[in-house]
Amino acid sequence: MELAVITAQQVLQLVLMIAAGAVCCRAGVFKPAEKSVLSNLLVYLVVPAMVLDSYMVPFDPATFRNLLLTFALSTVLLLLGMGVAWAASRGAQPAARPILWFACAFSNAGYMGFPLIRALFGEEGVLYASAFLTMFNILVWTLGVAVLSGKAEPRQVLRSVVTCPCIVAVAVGLAIYLCRIPVPEMLSSPVGMVGDMNTPLSMIITGATIASSDLGRLLCNRNLFRTLCVRMLLIPAVGLALFALLGLHGTVPTIVLLLEACPCAAITTVFAIQYHTQEELAAGAVVFSTLSSIVILPLYALLLTTVL
């Protein structure tokens, strides 16, 4: 129950920041098109700094074992979600299947998940969340791109994975953590301060996305509600049932399940535009799954405390 209450409080704080971003966008403080600049800042600087900062802690064998467990559970849960999404997308029109599958399969763990996990579990939680995001990015840039594009060039996929800022930050962070490399405060302090920008910046971008969307028009897409039900209800429920059957409980399973229960990945709209497919469905899935998460995430956290 305590986790649910804390989650509700943190989600409310996130909502207030989302509202601030929406108001700024509507008031013309920045144009909707300019949110891509903020998004690039987040992806290429802020999130890697936050991930890197989470590894600048003393080595602890128990924490390292939990980190390995997070990698394993994240891989299992992400692949399970992709399988559920594939089955759910079979009934849709062929043209809508790829983006519907992508929207259902991949959560907004970076924008929505990281701020929530940091608020609930602190820096150790961010350390485990970085493992989830690593596996997430690997699957997005391999299987995700292959499904949306209808083809996959191994060299291009490999380049996308190894140059992903978050994965690079994880690799550098792991080297610092495992080799116990001391990082002077002159470097660690600014890295931490830049990483602290993640929560407000990601929520402002989310607010700008909502403010710049025609919500009424987006609701007209008939595949939208299928996407919302699968992403926000079915996949989290299947993941929770699997972990409960396996007898998994504690901090690591809870973090992985919460990250997988987040709304549709923000990159869904980017890929829809890039591959010229179902742009309205992609935008509607991101916007309305984010709005629905305001209610669903605290309820899911309550369910976690009951089942796990």
Side-chain angles (χ1 to χ4, degrees):
M1 186 66 178
E2 183 181 358
L3 178 63
V5 172
I6 296 173
T7 302
Q9 292 172 342
Q10 295 304 322
V11 169
L12 179 58
Q13 292 179 19
L14 297 180
V15 169
L16 292 175
M17 286 184 273
I18 289 173
V23 169
C24 286
C25 184
R26 288 287 190 183
V29 175
F30 60 89
K31 296 180 176 64
E34 292 172 349
K35 68 177 184 285
S36 62
V37 177
L38 299 179
S39 181
N40 287 338
L41 183 65
L42 186 75
V43 170
Y44 289 100
L45 178 63
V46 176
V47 170
M50 183 181 64
V51 169
L52 192 59
D53 183 57
S54 71
Y55 282 93
M56 294 180 186
V57 294
F59 180 84
D60 176 63
T63 301
F64 182 61
R65 286 194 295 272
N66 281 339
L67 185 62
L68 294 178
L69 177 62
T70 308
F71 274 109
L73 293 184
S74 299
T75 303
V76 170
L77 198 58
L78 284 163
L79 291 175
L80 177 66
M82 292 168 69
V84 173
W86 178 85
S89 65
R90 290 302 84 192
Q93 309 94 316
R97 286 176 191 169
I99 202 69
L100 194 155
W101 171 82
F102 190 94
C104 292
F106 296 106
S107 70
N108 202 1
Y111 281 14
M112 197 81 178
F114 259 78
L116 182 61
I117 296 303
R118 188 172 198 172
L120 293 174
F121 300 99
E123 293 305 317
E124 185 176 352
V126 173
L127 180 66
Y128 301 147
S130 70
F132 181 96
L133 201 60
T134 299
M135 302 313 303
F136 171 93
N137 277 306
I138 289 173
L139 291 171
V140 163
W141 291 102
T142 53
L143 293 176
V145 169
V147 169
L148 290 180
S149 64
K151 57 183 178 180
E153 298 179 11
R155 186 175 299 178
Q156 183 179 356
V157 169
L158 180 61
R159 187 186 302 115
S160 298
V161 170
V162 299
T163 58
C164 176
C166 181
I167 294 178
V168 172
V170 169
V172 174
L174 274 172
I176 292 172
Y177 181 69
L178 295 177
C179 299
R180 308 177 194 186
I181 300 172
V183 180
E185 187 177 355
M186 182 66 72
L187 293 177
S188 63
S189 182
V191 169
M193 286 189 286
V194 171
D196 287 340
M197 295 167 58
N198 177 71
T199 299
L201 189 57
S202 60
M203 293 304 100
I204 287 171
I205 294 170
T206 302
T209 301
I210 293 173
S212 58
S213 301
D214 185 341
L215 302 184
R217 182 169 59 84
L218 296 180
L219 277 172
C220 296
N221 194 302
R222 60 181 176 177
N223 287 312
L224 176 61
F225 294 100
R226 182 202 296 259
T227 306
L228 294 179
C229 287
V230 175
R231 172 69 261 160
M232 300 306 300
L233 299 176
L234 182 58
I235 289 178
V238 171
L240 177 56
L242 175 64
F243 280 20
L245 287 173
L246 294 176
L248 298 171
H249 57 85
T251 299
V252 169
T254 300
I255 287 174
V256 173
L257 285 168
L258 282 173
L259 289 169
E260 181 66 353
C262 286
C264 300
I267 201 172
T268 305
T269 54
V270 177
F271 279 159
I273 294 170
Q274 182 176 351
Y275 296 110
H276 310 289
T277 175
Q278 300 290 312
E279 294 180 23
E280 286 190 3
L281 173 60
V286 172
V287 170
F288 285 103
S289 64
T290 300
L291 291 173
S292 67
S293 70
I294 296 169
V295 175
I296 292 176
L297 275 179
L299 292 177
Y300 188 65
L302 177 60
L303 190 59
L304 287 180
T305 58
T306 304
V307 176
L308 294 188

